[in-house]
Amino acid sequence: MATPDEDIHAAPAAGAPVATVVREGSYGEKVVAVEPGGAEFIPLNERHGRPIQLFWTWTSPNLEFATIFVGVIAVAVFGLSFWLAVLAIVLGTAVGSVTQGLLSAQGPAHGVPQMVLSRLGFGYWGNILPAGLNALTAGIGWFAVNSVSGTFALNTLTHLAKPACLVIIVLAQVVVAFFGYNLVHAFERYVFPVLAVIFLITTVVILAKTHPGTHIAPGFAGTTGGFLLATGAAFGYAVGWNPYAADYTRYFPPDTSKRAIAWWAGLGVFVSCVILEVVGAASATLSGASAVGSNPTGAFTGHLPTGLADATLLAIALGAVAANVLNIYSGALSFTALGIRLPLRLRRAIVAVAFGVIGFIVAYYGLHDAGTKYENFLLVIAYWIAPWLAVVFCDQLLRRGRGPVDELLFDKHYTNWAGPVAMAVGMGVSIWLFSNQTEYTGFVPTRVPTVGDLTFEAGFLITTVVYLGWHAVERRLKASPATR
């Protein structure tokens, strides 16, 4: 159970399950106020929000150039035709959007962030593996990726030096994330119409100029391999939001419709990702390999009239901020979910600032050769999230009908080593066999280049087999003394 030094409230006092660590302080619906606490249970008197707000919460952060670039590399790097790129984008995004909806629906019932819920499948300390990876990829990795894309946009628009543009972008992101949950939701809501209108006009203009029959043939070999890589990149982008899902629904009342939550969260990711990635693929048929050059943002907006190009650059910079306020916020939550006791009342907010500083340094060194670094990052995201998802969904399957589980979420003695072992095995074997990127090429692609990258599919399947097999053996061992 939770340790004596933690803030534990009985269920009647805070509307929390017994032995649950409850977030301290009063926050409610105040927007311009710093959210207290970290990854604890949200008491019922603090609950608020409606499912429809998830649509703009998950649409706004995808209305940025990092999303567009997924479509660009499908054509300019992976060598797909426009229509094959569209198919890969739709398939990869659909899977990540469905899982986003399913995970988001769990937030109100449990009242904790996604990486605290992850403890069910991994155990309290075993959960350090996924929570630590998410803290790094969200608070630093994604932060750096989006900061770079926003920097390129601001640099092209204003001609300020790139380091100066990076400072402006980073400060805006950190300020919003520092205040917390309510301001994050409000920010995504108010930037949504601005971003949606500008990108809708840009979409129409780019698609009108598209050459769907154009086929760019880079050094990458094979339509099958390119298709699998493009699908993996689209999946990696959409599924990158999955470890955050419950973070933005945990304040909703417990009786909020799960179906409505799943629908609006999944739809927000799917619509925004598909539209902008398709636009990216379309733009690559115009720019060719130059779309992934030293300034891919400039290459994209170069197809637009001057006024619209400037508006689009502004929207790209704003969209980068919209994406990164989620990345910093959820990265900080994941860090506080590691189990490290931080007694500070503003621990999440302080961690968010720390991630901002580290992310700035990483982004600064990522300004060079950004296209290749982003391509690799997208695939690496899928490499660990797919095995993590396998554990989460397998654990839910095995627990179905077994009653409440919330008392396990803050129990430091609770173990489930099947989770971290299965995830580690799934990641290790799938990366060794199937990884296909510039930093490392696995056993199979080295010998059969046209196979593309099957790492996330293999990782999911291997992890599923190991996790279910572990629990099957465990059940048999527990039952065996009774049968003798």
Side-chain angles (χ1 to χ4, degrees), residues 383-396:
Y383 290 174
W384 81 262
I385 294 183
W388 171 75
L389 282 174
V391 171
V392 169
F393 287 126
C394 285
D395 184 73
Q396 290 177 11

Side-chain angles (χ1 to χ4, degrees), residues 322-376:
N324 268 351
V325 297
L326 299 186
N327 291 321
I328 305 171
Y329 180 79
S330 286
L333 282 180
S334 293
F335 184 84
T336 59
L338 289 174
I340 302 171
R341 180 63 179 166
L342 299 174
L344 302 173
R345 178 185 173 91
L346 299 182
R347 52 193 169 275
R348 178 212 52 80
I350 293 170
V351 172
V353 173
F355 277 159
V357 173
I358 299 171
F360 171 82
I361 297 171
V362 175
Y364 179 79
Y365 287 103
L367 291 174
H368 173 67
D369 196 19
T372 299
K373 290 182 175 69
Y374 183 42
E375 171 195 336
N376 292 337

Side-chain angles (χ1 to χ4, degrees), residues 54-63 67 89-90 92-101 104 234-242 245 261-277 326:
L54 296 172
F55 181 72
W56 48 74
T57 296
W58 293 117
T59 298
S60 296
N62 293 315
L63 299 179
T67 318
I89 287 166
V90 170
T93 304
V95 177
S97 300
V98 169
T99 52
Q100 179 73 10
S104 296
F235 170 74
Y237 188 88
V239 84
W241 298 118
N242 282 189
I261 290 174
W263 170 257
W264 287 115
L267 191 66
V269 172
F270 182 79
V271 171
S272 54
C273 287
V274 167
I275 291 176
L276 262 68
E277 288 169 21
L326 299 186

Side-chain angles (χ1 to χ4, degrees), residues 58-97:
W58 293 117
T59 298
S60 296
N62 293 315
L63 299 179
E64 49 133 4
F65 191 73
T67 318
I68 293 170
F69 202 63
V70 176
V72 170
I73 61 176
V75 173
V77 176
F78 301 145
L80 298 187
S81 67
F82 173 73
W83 292 113
L84 269 180
V86 171
L87 180 59
I89 287 166
V90 170
L91 289 176
T93 304
V95 177
S97 300

Side-chain angles (χ1 to χ4, degrees), residues 32 48 53 109 120 194 206 226 233 250 254 259 287 297 313 328 346 371 404 452 474 478:
V32 187
H48 60 278
Q53 73 189 60
L120 294 174
V194 177
I206 293 289
R250 74 192 199 282
R259 180 175 297 181
S287 302
T297 308
L313 288 168
I328 305 171
L346 299 182
E474 191 176 65
K478 288 181 178 179

Side-chain angles (χ1 to χ4, degrees), residues 109-196:
H110 299 283
V112 295
Q114 192 66 57
M115 279 299 148
V116 172
L117 278 174
S118 178
R119 291 173 180 168
L120 294 174
F122 290 85
Y124 189 93
W125 296 113
N127 192 57
I128 288 176
L129 175 61
L133 284 170
N134 195 50
L136 289 173
T137 56
I140 298 174
W142 273 119
F143 177 88
V145 164
N146 291 309
S147 295
V148 168
S149 70
T151 296
F152 279 133
L154 199 58
N155 167 257
T156 305
L157 177 63
T158 65
H159 304 294
L160 288 172
K162 288 179 182 177
C165 293
L166 180 60
V167 169
I168 293 171
I169 294 291
V170 168
L171 284 176
Q173 295 164 165
V174 172
V175 167
V176 177
F178 177 81
F179 278 92
Y181 181 91
N182 290 337
L183 184 58
V184 168
H185 272 295
F187 182 81
E188 305 297 347
R189 176 182 181 179
Y190 290 113
V191 300
F192 169 69
V194 177
L195 296 175

